[in-house]
Every structure is written in structure tokens, then in C-alpha cells.
Amino acid sequence: MLIARTVADLRRHLSTFQHPVFVPTMGNLHEGHLNLMRMAKPLGDVTVASIFVNRLQFLPHEDFASYPRTFDSDGEQLRALGCDVLFAPDESELYPEPQTFKVLPDPALANILEGEFRPGFFTGVCTVVLKLFHCVFNGQAGTAVFGQKDYQQQLVLKRMVAQLAMPIDIVTAATTRAADGLALSSRNGYLSADERAEAVHLSLALNALAASARAAQATGRMDVTAAENQAMDYLRARGWQPDYVTLRHQHDLSPVSSPDHEPMVVLGAAKLGRTRLIDNTEV
Ligand code: PAF
């Protein structure tokens, strides 16, 4: 596996390939990331992972400084999986000057849910992903793989590449879960032992709401707001501080007033102690 620290080095190494497949990450890799890489392997003629903790997508009070940086073990895991190129620029390479040109994603999709509770998050994500795509694909066609755990992120990025006419196919990989059902996330590492045992209740709350929505699909009769509040009350009673638990349409994340046969998704975000977790389940 080649480790490229500069854009020039990365492009030099990719110049002879036809169809790169790219897995962008912020490092601290877990089985979820490794599954993205496994999915990437057969989709092109060269696999590229990136590790870059992107300052632009963190709010001032968030965990940019303390975000776990585990470069050596990340590199070993990628090498063992047969990743061809690891792009690991430092900040001065990717942001040699303050990044004052930014991507402004569609507010209807990016200012709700995660974007409401983390203002500017999707501007930061889109800006770095656009830049990483330029570095890796250099205007050529390719494929990028993202995880379904970040449901809104993969949707925003699919819209971005479509609207900006980028010849990049975005593939979404199913969420990887621990044996108890907790969605794998680098931030799970912040949880105490007691919090870790409790953490699966976020996905249990989402699954219960998804089951109610599924049951109501035949009749269309469901008090969606009451069911969403019930899920949040369930979490509050167990010591969580939920930001949202909500039933949405899959294609644009608009609210569902009465379930029909349009594909839906339940999304949730909640804090357990100091750790904010997100998850989702499709209906
Ligand atoms: O999902 C992530 O890890 C990040 O948001 C991403 C896509 C690597 C951009 O920094």
C-alpha cells in the first residue's frame, strides 16, 4: 500500500488507473470502515482510502482536538485488506490557506436534522469531500463508498455530485453493527462501560418506531408525532438527551404525515453522557 501525503504524489500514483474507488474517512478505523473497503475492492481497478480529520465539519465546542487519531493501526488494517493507496494529507496540504471557498448544500436537505443541530456541518463535509474527490478522481470517473449510518450525509453527497455533474458514482454500504445491535462508530470509544451497555437502546427506539410505521403502511393510520415523541420519551427515561427521533421519506428526508408505500427511514440522534450518537433504520 502506498501512502501519499501530498496531492501531487497521490495523482502521480493514480494517473495510470481507469476507475479509482475511494473510501474517505477521518481515521480511527473500525469494522464499519473495513466493510466499506471490502465493498470498494471489486468496484474499480484501484482502491484509495483517505484519513483526514476535517476541521471544517466540527463546531467550536465539538471534539475536533480530541477526535481519536490512530494512524499506525489504521494503516495496518488497510494494508491487510489490500487497500492500494492511502491518502493522508496533513492540514497544510489540504488547506494550505484558510478554506474560504465552500460548498453551500441545498438548505432543504442540509439544514434539517444533523444540519439543524450541527449548523454548518454539511458545508464542512461537502467542501472537504468535493476537494478530496478532486484530489483522487482529478475530473475522471470513479466510485466512492459511504456508510448508511451517516444517512443524511450520503444523501447530501449524492445530490452534490448529481447537481455539480461530477462523474462519480456514490455507493452506500449497510451499517455495520456490534453483536448487540449498536451501530459501529468511532465515537463509541468515548462511552464508559455502563454507557456502552446502554447505547443499543438508541437503535431499539428507532426499530420500535420503524415497526409502528411498517404496521401502519396498510391503513395509513398513525399519529407520527406521538410515536416520535414516545421514542424520545423512552430515551429520556433511560437518561439520554435526544436531539431528534423522526420518521422521514428516504428520498428527501421530508416528514411523513401518514405512512404509505413510499420508502421511509427512521433517523435519530441523542446524547448519552457526553457522547452524541446517531443511527437510522429504513422502513
Ligand atoms: O463520514 C466521515 O467520516 C466524514 O464526514 C467524511 C466523509 C470522511 C468527510 O470528512
Side-chain angles (χ1 to χ4, degrees):
M1 181 178 75
L2 180 112
I3 297 178
R5 295 283 186 183
T6 65
V7 179
D9 205 15
L10 175 73
R11 286 186 171 151
R12 205 170 22 255
H13 283 286
L14 293 180
S15 62
T16 55
F17 294 97
Q18 302 300 311
H19 193 108
V21 190
F22 179 36
V23 179
T25 82
M26 296 204 300
N28 193 233
L29 303 186
H30 51 67
E31 202 52 32
H33 295 110
L34 302 184
N35 280 338
L36 302 185
M37 184 48 67
R38 289 185 187 104
M39 185 169 211
K41 279 296 281 178
L43 300 179
D45 58 354
V46 60
T47 47
V48 185
S50 65
I51 295 179
F52 182 71
V53 184
N54 172 39
R55 181 187 295 276
L56 296 187
Q57 69 192 73
F58 290 80
L59 288 169
H61 66 271
E62 291 183 340
D63 54 344
F64 173 74
S66 58
Y67 198 85
R69 288 157 171 89
T70 50
F71 183 79
D72 291 345
S73 69
D74 292 347
E76 276 163 31
Q77 295 184 83
L78 289 168
R79 186 174 286 114
L81 274 185
C83 175
D84 298 307
V85 180
L86 170 56
F87 180 43
D90 64 20
E91 264 204 313
S92 62
E93 175 67 13
L94 211 58
Y95 298 139
E97 55 186 86
Q99 186 70 33
T100 49
F101 283 67
K102 293 183 182 156
V103 177
L104 189 61
D106 179 353
L109 192 58
N111 291 359
I112 58 171
L113 305 173
E114 284 307 282
E116 181 186 339
F117 288 92
R118 305 181 70 190
F121 172 70
F122 288 113
T123 290
V125 168
C126 288
T127 303
V128 79
V129 170
L130 181 80
K131 197 157 184 176
L132 290 167
F133 280 2
H134 281 316
C135 298
V136 170
F137 299 113
N138 207 5
Q140 301 297 306
T143 298
V145 185
F146 291 87
Q148 188 191 312
K149 188 180 83 68
D150 297 298
Y151 201 90
Q152 192 175 2
Q153 170 174 278
Q154 53 88 38
L155 212 55
V156 168
L157 293 171
K158 280 178 179 162
R159 285 275 190 82
M160 179 181 83
V161 298
Q163 283 210 1
L164 299 182
M166 302 167 76
I168 295 163
D169 191 23
I170 293 194
V171 172
T172 305
T175 303
T176 305
R177 295 183 182 276
D180 67 349
L182 174 67
L184 296 193
S185 161
S186 299
R187 290 189 169 102
N188 293 351
Y190 298 153
L191 299 168
S192 68
D194 284 352
E195 289 168 346
R196 172 61 191 84
E198 170 61 28
V200 68
H201 285 273
L202 177 60
S203 75
L204 294 180
L206 305 192
N207 289 345
L209 180 52
S212 306
R214 215 168 279 123
Q217 274 180 317
T219 62
R221 277 199 300 275
M222 176 180 178
D223 185 338
V224 175
T225 306
E228 290 172 345
N229 287 335
Q230 193 183 340
M232 287 194 280
D233 287 344
Y234 169 82
L235 290 170
R236 276 189 204 101
R238 304 189 61 89
W240 295 71
Q241 299 159 264
D243 284 343
Y244 59 84
V245 174
T246 184
L247 179 67
R248 299 289 168 126
H249 290 110
Q250 280 181 25
H251 71 286
D252 63 358
L253 301 183
S254 60
V256 173
S257 48
S258 56
D260 53 20
H261 290 282
E262 283 276 303
M264 296 175 287
V265 57
V266 176
L267 304 112
K271 269 177 101 174
L272 185 58
R274 295 156 60 92
T275 308
R276 186 174 182 279
L277 300 178
I278 63 171
D279 199 355
N280 64 80
T281 180
E282 290 186 339
V283 180

